[in-house]
C-alpha cells in the first residue's frame, strides 16, 4: 500500500520528480514513513542507508508500481533493479534489445544499440556472449545499458555495486558518471555511501524507513553522523 506519490510540479519546469509524504506498507507492516524527496532534470541524487533501511521500497513506492512495465516505459522512467535481473542464457545484445521491446522504441532500437556500444565498448566486444558468463561488473554494465535502451528521462539505480569487488565498484560508479554526463537524470540507492556521495549532487540518508538527513552531498560527507555511521570515520 502506498500513500502519496512521486509527481512532477508543472509550475517548475526544472523539477522532474517529487515525492510528498510517501508512505509504504506491506499489508499491516509499514516500512516507509513520510518520505519527501525531489530531483531536478539532469540531477544525480542518492539515497544512502544500510540494508533494510527502505531504499528499495522507496524507489518502487509510487503509483506507477501497479502499471505494467510497458506503460512505465512510456513515462520515460526506468528502474535498474538490485541484482541486475538479466536473462543469463540470452546474449548481451538480446538483453539490451529487451530494453527497447516497447512498440514506440522499436524503430530506434538499432540506433540506440549502437549508442550503448559506443558508451560501453566492452559490451560491443561481448555482444554475442551469454550474459550468465559475464563478470559482475560487465553484467551491471549490461543492466544499465538495457535501462538506457528505453530512453529514460529518469534512471533509478538500486544498489548497482552490491556484491561486487572494490575494483568493480569503482568501475560501476565511473559508468554512472558517464551516464550522468549524457544528461540522464539519476536517482541512486546505495549502501556504499562514500561512492554515492561522490557521484551525486544531493543526497538523502534513510534509516528505518525515514529520511533522517538530507542536503548537498558534499555537506553530508562532512556530517559527523554520516562520517561515523556510513564512512567509518571516528569523531
Amino acid at each position: 500500500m502506498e500513500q502519496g506519490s512521486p509527481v512532477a510540479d508543472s509550475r517548475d519546469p526544472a523539477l522532474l520528480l517529487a515525492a510528498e509524504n510517501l508512505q509504504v506498507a506491506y499489508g499491516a507492516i509499514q516500512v516507509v514513513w513520510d518520505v519527501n524527496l525531489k530531483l531536478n532534470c539532469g540531477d544525480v541524487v542518492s539515497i544512502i542507508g544500510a540494508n533494510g533501511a527502505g531504499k528499495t521500497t522507496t524507489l518502487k513506492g509510487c503509483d506507477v508500481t501497479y502499471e505494467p512495465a510497458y506503460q512505465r516505459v512510456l513515462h520515460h522512467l526506468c528502474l535498474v533493479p538490485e541484482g541486475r535481473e538479466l536473462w543469463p542464457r540470452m546474449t548481451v545484445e538480446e538483453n539490451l534489445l529487451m530494453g527497447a521491446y516497447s512498440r514506440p522504441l522499436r524503430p530506434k532500437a538499432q540506433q540506440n544499440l549502437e549508442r550503448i556500444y559506443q558508451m560501453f565498448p566492452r559490451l560491443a566486444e561481448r555482444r554475442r556472449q551469454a550474459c550468465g558468463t559475464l563478470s559482475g561488473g560487465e553484467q551491471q554494465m549490461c543492466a544499465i545499458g538495457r535501462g538506457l535502451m528505453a530512453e529514460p528521462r529518469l534512471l533509478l539505480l538500486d544498489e548497482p555495486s552490491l556484491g561486487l569487488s572494490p575494483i568493480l565498484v569503482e568501475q560501476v560508479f565511473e559508468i554512472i558518471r558517464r551516464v550522468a554526463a549524457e544528461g540522464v537524470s539519476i536517482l541512486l540507492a546505495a549502501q556504499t555511501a562514500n561512492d554515492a556521495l561522490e557521484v551525486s549532487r544531493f543526497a538523502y540518508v534513510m534509516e528505518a524507513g525515514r529520511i533522517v538527513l538530507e542536503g548537498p552531498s558534499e555537506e553530508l560527507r562532512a556530517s559527523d553522523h554520516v562520517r561515523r555511521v556510513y564512512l567509518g570515520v571516528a569523531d
Side-chain angles (χ1 to χ4, degrees), residues 5-9 12 14-22 34-47 58 154 185-188 200-204 211 214-216:
S5 62
V7 293
D9 188 343
D12 184 356
L15 186 61
L16 181 60
L17 182 77
E20 299 176 352
N21 302 316
L22 184 65
D34 301 313
V35 166
N36 296 283
L37 60 84
K38 63 181 181 179
L39 182 147
N40 290 330
C41 293
D43 257 357
V44 179
V45 172
S46 62
I47 305 173
T58 298
L154 174 60
S185 304
I186 297 173
L187 181 59
L188 164 70
S200 60
R201 182 196 65 83
F202 197 90
Y204 299 86
I211 300 295
E214 64 179 80

Side-chain angles (χ1 to χ4, degrees), residues 72-78 96 99-102 104-113 115-116 144-155 183-185:
R72 295 188 204 177
V73 169
L74 298 180
H75 295 303
H76 295 277
L77 172 71
C78 187
L96 291 173
Y101 185 78
S102 175
L105 294 169
R106 292 177 195 174
K108 297 177 66 178
Q110 289 301 319
Q111 176 183 337
N112 285 332
L113 188 63
R115 181 172 65 91
I116 298 304
I144 293 173
R146 182 182 59 187
L148 293 175
M149 287 288 291
E151 299 184 340
R153 293 184 64 201
L154 174 60
L155 189 66
V184 179
S185 304

Side-chain angles (χ1 to χ4, degrees), residues 15-234:
L15 186 61
L16 181 60
L17 182 77
E20 299 176 352
N21 302 316
L22 184 65
Q23 319 264 355
V24 183
Y26 296 113
I29 302 174
Q30 186 161 352
V31 292
V32 169
W33 287 265
D34 301 313
V35 166
N36 296 283
L37 60 84
K38 63 181 181 179
L39 182 147
N40 290 330
C41 293
D43 257 357
V44 179
V45 172
S46 62
I47 305 173
I48 64 173
N51 185 38
K55 305 184 299 301
T56 295
T57 300
T58 298
L59 292 190
K60 294 181 177 179
C62 62
D63 52 4
V64 299
T65 299
Y66 296 105
E67 296 182 356
Y70 71 89
Q71 289 187 357
R72 295 188 204 177
V73 169
L74 298 180
H75 295 303
H76 295 277
L77 172 71
C78 187
L79 171 67
V80 178
E82 178 182 337
R84 301 179 281 274
E85 296 188 9
L86 299 168
W87 287 273
R89 295 185 181 181
M90 293 170 60
T91 67
V92 167
E93 188 158 301
E94 288 169 339
N95 271 273
L96 291 173
L97 287 172
M98 290 302 293
Y101 185 78
S102 175
R103 188 180 298 275
L105 294 169
R106 292 177 195 174
K108 297 177 66 178
Q110 289 301 319
Q111 176 183 337
N112 285 332
L113 188 63
E114 291 308 314
R115 181 172 65 91
I116 298 304
Y117 286 151
Q118 289 176 9
M119 187 180 297
F120 307 126
R122 182 64 63 84
L123 294 183
E125 297 171 5
R126 303 282 195 268
R127 63 197 306 165
R128 305 302 180 198
Q129 187 170 328
C131 270
T133 65
L134 300 179
S135 71
E138 290 168 342
Q139 288 185 14
Q140 189 62 60
M141 195 181 300
C142 187
I144 293 173
R146 182 182 59 187
L148 293 175
M149 287 288 291
E151 299 184 340
R153 293 184 64 201
L154 174 60
L155 189 66
L156 299 97
L157 300 175
D158 189 8
E159 300 289 3
S161 61
L162 188 66
L164 300 181
S165 66
I167 190 169
L168 291 179
V169 169
E170 184 177 337
Q171 292 176 8
V172 165
F173 277 92
E174 180 56 34
I175 290 169
I176 294 171
R177 291 184 182 91
R178 289 162 59 189
V179 171
E182 294 282 322
V184 179
S185 304
I186 297 173
L187 181 59
L188 164 70
Q191 296 179 45
T192 52
N194 191 52
D195 296 303
L197 292 174
E198 281 188 356
V199 79
S200 60
R201 182 196 65 83
F202 197 90
Y204 299 86
V205 179
M206 177 168 269
E207 296 177 358
R210 302 178 188 273
I211 300 295
V212 297
L213 283 174
E214 64 179 80
S217 298
E218 282 301 315
E219 291 184 9
L220 289 187
R221 282 170 62 86
S223 159
D224 289 341
H225 179 73
V226 172
R227 285 165 58 84
R228 183 178 66 256
V229 176
Y230 298 102
L231 303 182
V233 179

